[in-house]
Amino acid sequence: MASEKTFTYDDVAGHKTKKDLYVVIHDEVYDCTSFIDEHPGGEEVLLDIAGKDATEAFEDVGHSDEAREILQDLSIGNLFRRPGEEKPAMVIPASPATSTPLGTNERGPFVYFLLLIVLVVGSGAYYYL
């Protein structure tokens, strides 16, 4: 981050379009405008949380270490909470040793094996029938 700037929720709330998109994650403000077209979840995901505190949404997804590094490059300052503004519920991120990449689960190899069997049987049926 080039300079440490302080934002309020009102400041951040004014940046909620595809061409001007800020989010707050763990009381840090990020300008995601340049990343919106590259976001793996699609632009709709970012537009839904644009101008808001996205801490819970960010942690619920279980972003990778690479995603967190990209996020740091988008940091533009910190959030200043006025008295009475609640902090979002803290979600403790999963440790890298226990987290799994998005779209995977414990049955991943079995599903691919099953898909291969279905393809082989389907190809054989098509060829011989």
Side-chain angles (χ1 to χ4, degrees), residues 54-68 91-96 98-104:
T55 303
E56 188 173 349
F58 182 81
E59 294 299 349
D60 281 350
V61 172
H63 283 87
S64 66
D65 290 339
E66 182 181 0
R68 292 173 189 280
V91 177
I92 299 171
S95 69
T98 60
S99 63
T100 59
L102 290 176
T104 64

Side-chain angles (χ1 to χ4, degrees), residues 32-125:
C32 297
T33 309
S34 63
F35 186 67
I36 192 164
D37 291 327
E38 300 171 37
H39 187 261
E43 68 182 43
E44 298 83 18
V45 174
L46 290 177
L47 288 170
D48 284 345
I49 50 106
K52 302 176 188 170
D53 192 314
T55 303
E56 188 173 349
F58 182 81
E59 294 299 349
D60 281 350
V61 172
H63 283 87
S64 66
D65 290 339
E66 182 181 0
R68 292 173 189 280
E69 288 175 22
I70 291 169
L71 189 64
Q72 288 308 310
D73 292 337
L74 302 175
S75 177
I76 58 171
N78 291 311
L79 180 70
F80 171 74
R81 289 184 185 277
R82 293 186 179 125
E85 289 180 335
E86 282 188 36
K87 232 179 170 175
M90 290 302 292
V91 177
I92 299 171
S95 69
T98 60
S99 63
T100 59
L102 290 176
T104 64
N105 60 35
E106 295 170 4
R107 293 186 237 169
F110 176 73
V111 172
Y112 290 118
F113 179 72
L114 186 60
L115 182 61
L116 179 64
I117 297 296
V118 169
L119 274 167
V120 168
V121 171
S123 296

Side-chain angles (χ1 to χ4, degrees), residues 21-25 28-32 71-72 74-77:
L21 195 151
Y22 289 8
V23 297
V24 175
I25 300 174
E28 197 162 337
V29 180
Y30 299 93
D31 182 351
C32 297
L71 189 64
Q72 288 308 310
L74 302 175
S75 177
I76 58 171

